[in-house]
Each structure stands twice: as C-alpha cells, then as structure tokens.
Amino acid sequence: MLATILLIDDEHGFIDTMSKRLSKRGLTVYTAYNGQEGLESLAKYGAIDVVVLDVKMPGINGIDVLKIIKTEHPLVEVIMLTGHATVESAIEGMKNGAYDYMLKPCEMEELRAKIKEAYLKKQSQETKIYEARARHIELRRGD
Amino acid sequence: MSNKYYHGLTKSMMFTIILVSFTPLLTITFLAGYQYSVAYKSRVVAHLRELVLKHDQSIDYYLKEKTAEIQVLAAVEGIENLKNEARLEALHNSLLRHHRADFVDLGLVNSKGIQVTYVGPFNLRGANYADAQWFKNVQEHQIYISDVFLGLRGVPHFIIAVLIESEGEKWVLRTTLDFIAFNTLVEDIRIGETGLAFIINRKGEFQTTPRKNIINEIPFLKKLAAGKNEFSGLLHRRASISMKINPATGRETIFVISPIKSGNWLMIYQQDVSDAFSDLNQAKNIAAVILLFGGVAIVVMAYLMSRRMARKVELADIEKGIMNEQVIEAGKLASVGELAAGIAHEINNPVAIMVEEAGWIQDLLAEGLYVEDNEREVLRALNQIRSQGIRCKDITHKLLSFAHKIDPTIIRVKLNDLIYEMAELCEQRAKYANVNIETSLADNLPEIAASPSELQQVFLNLINNAIDSMDPKGGELDIATRFESGVVVVSISDTGCGIPKSNLSRIFDPFFTTKPVGKGTGLGLSIIYGIISKMKGEISVKSALDKGTVFTIKLPAAEAE
C-alpha cells in the first residue's frame, strides 16, 4: 500500500510524530497545521488519497474544511480525528461525507487499517471512474 | 446577615405588636373609664343631692309641723286655759302621747318674760326670759324657732315660741323640742366612712351632734355660714353641690349645702370624694391591675413572639443562603460542563502526543537503538512525552482550582490575578472559537473583599457567554479593569451577536435562556446578579445587535486593613 496522505491538525507534536511513524510504514505523508494550510497542500500535491482531519481547530474548523475538500476534491477520502467531547461533530462530519472517524489518542494499527480501507475505497472509486470513462470511450467508438 | 440585624428585627416587631395591642386597649380603657367615671360621679352626686333635699324637706316639715301644733294650741286654748297648770299638763300629756317625746315641756311666758306656767321635767316655773334672745325675737316675729342652745337647764335644746295677744296683753307660749329626737333626723344620713350630715346656724354653731368629731372644721364652718369663703355661693340655692378641698382636712370633699328654716340654718352634708367614689376608685384600681397584668402579658408575649418570628426569619434566611449556594453550585456545574468540552480536548491533545511518541519509541526500538541517530530520536521523544505530561498536569491543576466546592468565605482578593486566571482557563475554548482574549488590567487596583470561588464563577460565566456569542465567527474579547472614585470597575466586552432589546430586561431573570433545551440552564446571569448584589456591587449591560455586548461590574474596594 503506497497511499499518500495529508495530516491536518493544530498540534504540531502530534502530527510530526505521527507522520514519522506513518512514513516508516511506507506511506507518503504531508502535514498541515491548520485548515487553510491543508487545503493549500491538497491543491498543491494532487496525489493525496486520504486526509486525516482534526475536528477542532482554530481558524476554519474541521467540518468546514471537510465540506470544502468534498466539493473541491470529491474523491479524496477524509478520516475525522476527534477528542471524545466532539464525537457529535465527528458524526456530523460523517454526514458530510467523511469516510470514518477516530478518537484521539489513536492506535497506530487501527489508523493504518482505516487509512488502508479509505485508500482502497478511493482506488475502487477511481477504478470505477476509469472504467466508466473507458466504456464511455468505447461507446463513442461505436458511434 | 449579622446578629444585629435580627435583634433590630426582633425589636421592631416587638414594638409594632406592643403598639398595635396597646393603642386600642388604652383607648378603650381611658374612654370607657372616663365615661364610666363621669356617669358614676354624676349619679353619686345626684343621689347625694336627692338625699339632702329629702332631708331638708323633712326637717323643714318637722319644724313647721311642730310650730303649727303650738300655734293651734295657742289659738284654740286661749290664755285662760294656758294659765291653768292642770290644763297645760293635760295638753302636754296629749302632745307627748301623740308625738312621743318630741315636746319636752310646755310653758307660758308673760310679757315681762316671766314663765307663769310650766309643765315639764325641769323646775322652770317663774324663770325669767326677759333677756333671752328668743323672747326678744318672738316679740318681733310672732313665731320663733330658736337655735339649739344650752339655756337655763344646761342641756342642748331648742324652743318654739308663739306670741299670743289677748286683751291687749302679750303672752308667749313656748315649748322645748327634744334635741335628740331632732338629731336623729339628721344623723340618719350615713354614707360610707366619711359621709355625714349636720346642721349649723349662721354663726357656725352645730344644731345637731355630728356623728364624728369635726371640731377642726369649726372655723371653716363658721366662715362658711357667714358667707365669707369660697363656698358662700352655695348658700342661696337648695342642695347646691361643690367639690373642693376641705381646708380643715386637706382632702377633696363633696359638700351639699341646703339652707333650711328660712335660711337660718344650713344643712350640710359632707363626704370625702375618695370615700364617695370609693366604688369608682375600686373599679379604677381593678382596671389598673388588669391593665398592668395585661400590659405585662402583652409585652412578654410580644417579646417571645417577635423573638420566635425573628428566629424563624433567621432560619429561613439561612435556608435561603443554603439554597442560594446550591443554585450557585448548580450553575457552576453547568459552566464546568461547558468548560469540560474545551478541557477534554485540551487534555486529549497532549495525551495523543504522548501515545504517538511512545509508539514512535516502540517503532525505533524494533529497528534497534543504535541504527542511525535513533538514540537521539528516542531521547527527543521522551522529552516530548515529559513536556506533554507537564502540560496535562497544568491543565488538570487549572481545572481543579476551579472545580472545588464553592466556598462563600470572604477574603481579600486581587481581582487582576483572578481575572487573569479565568482568562487563561478559557484560552483554549476561545482559540477554537477563533476568539482573541485581550486583558487590559489597571495596576493600581485595590483589593476587594469577596469570595474568590464566587468571583471565579462570575467571570467564567461572563467569559463563556462572550465566547458563545462570538462562536464560530470569532471576534475580540476585552477584559479591562480600572479604579474609579473608590470603585473597582471590570468591563467585559465582546464583538458577538449582541442581545436584542426585548431580552435585555430579562437576562438576569432565573431560567431565562435563548439557548435550545439542554444547552443552557438560564441560571448563569441570575447567579452572577445574586453574587454581585450580595457583595453590594452593581452589574450593568449595554448591547447592540451584531455589534457586541459590554458587561460592566462595579465592586466596592475593600477597606484598608
């Protein structure tokens, strides 16, 4: 699995270490320290598959960032990361199209598994899109 | 609330009860007492007057009757029969028979004053009355009733004399009336201890034997009879009454004076006022005793009742205080709940970092400690764990300092420190709500006397409200303190949604809230209001919709130590 992910959280120490650990596990990891930065990174590095997004952040909060991601990069899967007190907002995020949510602090393996699932989902969707396009081209040929 | 307050309360209740009970009691007592005494006095006086009138009539009647008797005798018998001693004796016996012993004797006196015939117990035949006053008077007036005098016989008596003219010669038929029989007429008037009646003549000489020794009064009576003192006005009408100090006894005395025997004699009834009205005085005494005991009972009851009531008020106040504390406690729990969201997140972050770092160390250890600079990385991770642990500790400490039980004990508080602490506590929440907290605290701020945990409650609530009003758009929260004419002023201003005018007057009401059910208790501001007014401070609010709200709290500075 060679997914490319983006971590967005205002806690530097948290995502710095997490990115190290995920990198060690073969993932390509980008980090952003707030929502704005994250959106910019998404635009900059087109290859990002999965975003791990903190719900509570100063500036644009997680839910708003999610909404923007889902409109601008509909294929990108988002995993919400949240403290216990904001589980409701994480669920709110799911309603807005997030793949899943996780509670802080999170188990590395669990996170990896979720990222993998999300990545696979994205892959399958992309595949479906390719197939659809191919069929479309085929159909066009058949004109 | 001090003991003094309840003492004052007791006193004012007591005086009110006493006043309310005594006013009608005394009014009724005095009004009824006055009416009663006036009525009673007038009745007594009327009774005495009646009595004297009756007696003076009967005495006049007695004298008239006796006089008429003698006149009849004189007219019917003629001088010749009267000169005849045997005939006179028969007449006298007849008089004695029909009038008991009233007529002591009977005698005929010739024009020279010599008693020519006499029937009676004394040997007075031949007695010479030429110089006697009565003999002179009877020559002038035809009929004469003498005053009581000792006369020749040395026994008090009085006489009735009738002038008879026969064949150019003047005779006088005289009879002596029994003084004792006459005396009983007057002596019968006995009322009370001091009530007595007597008759005096115009010279002030007693015509009856008074029941009691009133020799002391003789000079006074002489003046009275002569019309030379303040009572003289009474001498002209029948049974006139006066209540004056009797100079002889020094006591207030009722006098009923009636002239009798064509004004020659005075019938006097006198009685000490205190004796005459003794029943009244007794009633007065009973009333006074009842009033006294009633008054004492009222005072005692008023005291006990007001003390009991004050005690109840005190208990109610204590209960109210406890309830108040409980409400504050509940409000605090609500605000702690609000805090908890921010705090939990704040705690979760360092914990998450620690977990990550620990995982990272595990990863590195799996790789081997001496590969590349793994050792240094582990040390860095450990340091990070340590510093995040300290961060957790700080957060829990902040929370703990707030979450302990509300303590209403009043101490001297440095307001700036407290505000700073509260601002710090809310920092995290503010950050996520994109609120920037600015504090501009005056450094000349005096200490204030307050309960720190209650004040924490006040500021936490106000800061939370301000943040709520700006969430999620963000804004500026300014907390400023200043010292103004002896008052510490704290203003907390936000740039939030503001409060509509229609709600402004209700925001301090308990349970008034605009938040959805389950979000706010509506107690925060009412608790704040309670705390601030308990401290004798003031809280005011200014708000403009979508511009922001300013809460201003004015607190009295603590007195210098």
Side-chain angles (χ1 to χ4, degrees), chain B residues 321-384:
Chain B
I322 292 170
M323 294 251 293
N324 222 13
E325 266 168 46
Q326 282 172 345
V327 168
I328 293 176
E329 197 71 37
K332 198 187 70 170
L333 284 179
S335 49
V336 165
E338 223 167 300
L339 248 192
I343 297 287
H345 195 84
E346 230 181 319
I347 294 259
N348 251 338
N349 279 329
V351 167
I353 292 172
M354 287 192 283
V355 170
E356 272 330 297
E357 292 289 1
W360 179 230
I361 290 170
Q362 277 176 334
D363 290 351
L364 292 176
L365 284 178
E367 221 171 68
L369 209 50
Y370 301 104
V371 184
E372 292 173 46
D373 57 351
N374 277 4
E375 192 179 351
R376 206 187 312 150
E377 189 60 27
V378 168
L379 283 178
R380 189 204 55 77
L382 285 173
N383 265 333
Q384 177 75 307

Side-chain angles (χ1 to χ4, degrees), chain A residues 64-131:
Chain A
D64 292 336
V65 173
L66 171 70
K67 284 178 188 162
I68 298 169
I69 290 173
K70 277 293 156 188
T71 49
E72 287 179 8
H73 313 276
L75 285 179
V76 172
E77 290 300 334
V78 179
I79 296 171
M80 309 294 291
L81 201 54
T82 174
H84 288 275
T86 50
V87 170
E88 289 104 326
S89 59
I91 292 166
E92 176 74 26
M94 304 262 296
K95 283 182 192 159
N96 280 300
Y99 176 74
D100 204 347
Y101 74 92
M102 288 197 68
L103 296 177
K104 273 186 188 178
C106 56
E107 273 303 317
M108 180 48 64
E109 288 317 310
E110 206 184 323
L111 178 65
R112 260 184 74 194
K114 285 244 163 87
I115 290 173
K116 194 175 167 185
E117 283 167 28
Y119 174 63
L120 288 177
K121 188 185 171 195
K122 193 203 172 207
Q123 290 265 300
S124 81
Q125 273 183 344
E126 271 175 354
T127 311
K128 276 180 199 160
I129 289 169
Y130 284 138
E131 281 171 2

Side-chain angles (χ1 to χ4, degrees), chain B residues 263-309:
Chain B
N264 286 329
W265 291 354
L266 294 172
M267 172 153 173
I268 296 179
Y269 174 83
Q270 72 172 51
Q271 188 174 16
D272 286 358
V273 168
S274 58
D275 181 40
F277 300 143
S278 65
D279 281 354
L280 182 67
N281 289 338
Q282 207 177 347
K284 268 185 189 166
N285 289 341
I286 289 170
V289 167
I290 288 171
L291 203 61
L292 182 75
F293 280 108
V296 168
I298 286 171
V299 169
V300 168
M301 275 308 293
Y303 176 71
L304 291 178
M305 247 167 74
S306 48
R307 234 187 36 174
R308 226 175 64 184
M309 269 155 76

Side-chain angles (χ1 to χ4, degrees), chain A residues 20-63:
Chain A
K20 278 182 211 164
R21 295 186 70 192
L22 290 171
S23 301
K24 213 159 210 107
R25 283 162 179 76
L27 293 146
T28 310
V29 183
Y30 295 101
T31 57
Y33 298 127
N34 59 51
Q36 194 56 46
E37 220 177 285
L39 289 173
E40 281 162 17
S41 300
L42 262 178
K44 207 157 90 187
Y45 313 108
I48 289 167
D49 300 310
V50 179
V51 175
V52 178
L53 178 62
D54 190 19
V55 175
K56 272 219 145 181
M57 284 185 297
I60 320 174
N61 69 34
I63 301 294

Side-chain angles (χ1 to χ4, degrees), chain B residues 98-112:
Chain B
H98 294 101
H99 291 276
R100 276 163 290 137
D102 284 356
F103 294 94
V104 177
D105 58 8
L106 203 56
L108 186 68
V109 181
N110 66 15
S111 57
K112 294 192 176 71

